[in-house]
Amino acid sequence: MRRERYHRKTAKKMALFVVVTVFAAAVFAGTSPFVSRADDVSDLKKSIEQKQQEIKDAQDQKKQMQSGLTDIKSIISELEQSKKDLAAYVTQLDANLSGIQARIAEIKEMISQKEAEIVQTQAELDAAVAKEETQYENMKIRIKNMYERGDDFYFEAILTARSFADMINRVDYVEKVSASDRNILEEFRTTREYVEVCKAQLESEQELLQEAKKNVEAEEASMESLIAQKKADIEAYESDISNREQLVKEYEAEIAAQEAEIKEMEQIAKTLQKQLEEANGKKKTYDGGMFAWPAPSFTRISDEYGERMHPTLHVKKFHNGLDLAAPGGSPILAAYNGTVVAAAYSSTMGNYIMIDHGDNLYTIYMHASKLYVSQGAEVVKGQKIAAVGTTGRSTGNHLHFGVRLNGSYVSPWNYLK
């Protein structure tokens, strides 16, 4: 009697197991309880591994950023040695400014990329949470269904086999259902793990983004500090009364060197143009159209074209262009269609571009922080060719815009009005 009650109790437990696993498989698998979930689990595990690696990469990147900030004190200390030679000092300082500017651009690009990645990670997290919640709700339905049907239902299910063969089939069925159920439960656990790693990745990416923004602010502050130092040093150098006569001579020599460099570029452009004319029979001509304003972000004209009192040398000197004060990094546009005949650096002009528009008409753009075109490039009116800066003999962010016709400077206003 006791053995019979034991067997009956065992059979009821077995029936409960069969029905629970069948129902669980049917609920989670959607249609057939035997649909394999192994691929889904494998994909989730691969995604978890990938995200864990991305978290590590973000943490490493954050550490690199923290240790890679520009040491502005060290730069200024090194520059002290070259202050006696203004041209060497300006060249060395501009190289440092260009390096900081490049780093700022690199970090800003990373910020844009990271913001896009955060949006994607948030979407992945939202989808994973939704999936987890669906699985959890289905599990509650399964448990409720089991409770409402009671143990007798499960007991009857296991004892209704019509033959021994039918019993074997049901045992096989139980094994398949059990395997399917294990995969479903494994997928649920993996989904929960995936949710957690998504949360960790999102947090890591947000921390890196904040660190990047802090670095941009720090680098911009370093750049402004270096520009201020440059301005003060150039003005102090040029304002030294004891050196006034020598400084005027140096200034005139620099302007002469600048003029010689530009004339050389003009001669090269003429030679190239002549070769092109002979090759295709076409002459480069200026059609008389009005120029585009070359610095759309300008705030004011800081220095006009023509004779002026030099701000620090305090002697009358001819100013061969327009100085357009504009924020550092703001765009410089090609004033008109043409060919870039120079995209280079000099200690007086800084980073500069010279464009041939045909008929011996040229435009020159000086003191840029960055050049976006190179020698030989064809540009069109309004195209972005550089960024405003303060490289060369400059004491603040601005564009020096010059126009040359037949080998001499002319007023830019002739082409801008």
Coordinates of all heavy atoms in Angstrom, one line a residue, residues 54-55 63 178:
E54 N 34.2 46.3 -25.8 CA 34.0 47.7 -26.1 C 34.0 48.5 -24.8 O 34.5 49.7 -24.8 CB 32.6 47.9 -26.8 CG 32.6 47.4 -28.2 CD 31.3 47.4 -28.8 OE1 30.3 47.7 -28.1 OE2 31.1 47.1 -30.0
I55 N 33.5 48.0 -23.7 CA 33.6 48.6 -22.4 C 35.1 48.8 -22.0 O 35.5 49.9 -21.5 CB 32.8 47.8 -21.3 CG1 31.3 47.9 -21.5 CG2 33.2 48.4 -19.9 CD1 30.5 47.0 -20.7
K63 N 41.4 56.6 -20.0 CA 42.7 56.7 -19.3 C 43.7 57.4 -20.2 O 44.5 58.3 -19.7 CB 43.2 55.3 -18.9 CG 42.4 54.7 -17.8 CD 43.0 53.3 -17.5 CE 42.1 52.6 -16.4 NZ 42.6 51.2 -16.1
S178 N 12.3 18.9 -22.6 CA 13.3 19.3 -21.6 C 14.5 20.1 -22.2 O 14.9 21.1 -21.7 CB 13.8 18.1 -20.8 OG 12.7 17.4 -20.1

